[in-house]
């Protein structure tokens, strides 16, 4: 993959808009890792990870009611409880989600949507090597 001036500018614009590296990769027709590597080499400002949360997680109306006890450690989890970490492990309030998981995944539906980026085709058409010849 060749990083043309146009593609670099598009990367910078999408990065500034706050799109995820996975979404930028889809739009540019490259992998998420290619986006991360190029952003690093360009010295683009880093962004907070969606996994590292500094604020308390937001409660959604569809979320199940707070359990009488939060799942505090990984040994409290079962194969059917969400293993999404909430908070900073160095902080007292750290715990795991603990909601029921979706089939064959370690996360509930809400956290699986964050964790897994779909592998759909890029939204913008990009020239291919065979088209350039």
């Amino acid at each position: 993959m060749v990083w043309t001036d146009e593609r670099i500018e598009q990367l910078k614009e999408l990065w500034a808009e706050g799109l995820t590296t996975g979404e930028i990769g889809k739009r540019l027709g490259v992998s998420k890792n290619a986006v991360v590597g190029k952003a690093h080499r360009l010295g683009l400002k880093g962004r907070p990870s969606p996994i590292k949360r500094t604020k308390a997680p937001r409660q959604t109306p569809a979320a199940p009611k707070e359990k009488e006890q939060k799942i505090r450690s990984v040994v409290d989890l079962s194969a059917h409880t969400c293993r999404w970490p909430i908070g900073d492990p160095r902080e007292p309030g750290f715990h795991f989600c603990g909601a029921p998981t979706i089939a064959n995944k370690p996360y509930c539906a809400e956290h699986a949507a964050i964790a897994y980026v779909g592998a759909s085709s890029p939204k913008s058409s990009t020239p291919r090597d065979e088209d350039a010849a």
Side-chain angles (χ1 to χ4, degrees), residues 26-48:
K26 286 179 191 176
R27 291 188 183 190
L28 296 177
V30 298
S31 72
K32 174 174 127 173
N33 287 340
V35 171
V36 171
K38 189 62 175 178
H40 178 73
R41 289 188 299 278
L42 291 171
L44 298 180
K45 184 178 177 183
R47 299 173 303 182

Side-chain angles (χ1 to χ4, degrees), residues 61-127:
K65 296 289 180 190
E66 180 86 20
K67 295 179 183 152
E68 62 278 349
Q69 181 179 3
K70 292 179 182 174
I71 296 178
R72 295 285 176 191
S73 74
V74 73
V75 296
D76 297 328
L77 297 172
S78 75
H80 304 289
T81 54
C82 180
R83 295 168 181 255
W84 189 267
I86 298 175
D88 186 332
R90 297 170 287 196
E91 301 287 325
F94 175 76
H95 61 282
F96 292 90
C97 172
T101 59
I102 58 176
N104 301 319
K105 300 287 184 206
Y107 305 121
C108 64
E110 176 186 357
H111 292 124
I114 298 169
Y116 300 105
V117 176
S120 62
S121 62
K123 292 183 181 178
S124 65
S125 61
T126 55

Side-chain angles (χ1 to χ4, degrees), residues 9-31:
E9 284 307 311
Q10 190 177 10
L11 167 64
K12 289 178 181 179
E13 289 170 10
L14 297 172
W15 188 269
E17 289 177 21
L19 270 63
T20 64
T21 55
E23 183 61 33
I24 294 170
K26 286 179 191 176
R27 291 188 183 190
L28 296 177
V30 298
S31 72

